[in-house]
Amino acid sequence: MKLYIRLLKFVKPYLRQVIVASFCTALVTGCTLLVAPLAGYIFKVIGDKNILWLNFSALAMIGLYFFKGIFIYGQDYLFSFVVNRVIVDLHNKVYEHLQNLSLDFYATWNTGELVSRVMNDIQTLQQTLLTGLATIVPQTILLLGLMVYTFWLNWRLALLTFI
């Protein structure tokens, strides 16, 4: 837990980007949730053989996917921006720390081993952050949105399903 609090100190300067990326994630979830009702409406219009509303519905579906693509781009771009900025800040912090270490420390540690450990640890952290921010957060928001939508459609059936 202490590690996450230390890591949040590096994310804090980019809180605005995280909030906007989370908003984009919520909009992606909203677009995803709207696909099913719109597809159901399109099938209803096909059954009614109403060409005007079918064209309108098809354009609405195209527009929905267009905006979903824009929001996905914003989400991915901002989350990647935050992760890369945090990694740069972390590199700078490690560099400052290494500059302040004593000469005795460098006499006992091999320089190649230090460089290897710093690079590998930060690269592992970068992959973890990218996975966490760019994958787990959006999927969690989508899961919660789908659960709310399911309960909105039929709360008894949803409750039975989740039990």
Side-chain angles (χ1 to χ4, degrees), residues 14 76-91 122 126-127 129-130 133:
Y14 309 105
D76 290 346
Y77 177 80
L78 289 171
F79 278 139
S80 296
F81 173 80
V82 170
V83 168
N84 288 324
R85 292 307 308 162
V86 166
I87 294 302
V88 166
D89 294 345
L90 195 58
H91 271 288
I122 291 179
Q126 181 178 11
Q127 291 301 318
L129 282 174
L130 275 174
L133 285 177

Side-chain angles (χ1 to χ4, degrees), residues 14-98:
Y14 309 105
L15 190 60
R16 185 176 358 163
Q17 286 87 353
V18 170
I19 290 171
V20 173
S22 299
F23 183 70
C24 286
T25 301
L27 291 174
V28 167
T29 301
C31 288
T32 303
L33 293 175
L34 286 175
V35 168
L38 187 57
Y41 182 75
I42 288 174
F43 286 120
K44 180 183 173 203
V45 169
I46 289 172
D48 295 343
K49 297 180 182 176
N50 190 340
I51 299 298
L52 178 66
W53 283 104
L54 179 61
N55 290 334
F56 177 71
S57 301
L59 286 175
M61 185 69 84
I62 291 169
L64 186 65
Y65 274 99
F66 175 76
F67 285 114
K68 183 179 176 182
I70 289 173
F71 298 140
I72 288 174
Y73 175 78
Q75 161 195 316
D76 290 346
Y77 177 80
L78 289 171
F79 278 139
S80 296
F81 173 80
V82 170
V83 168
N84 288 324
R85 292 307 308 162
V86 166
I87 294 302
V88 166
D89 294 345
L90 195 58
H91 271 288
N92 291 337
K93 186 77 170 176
V94 168
Y95 179 75
E96 287 176 20
H97 179 72
L98 288 174

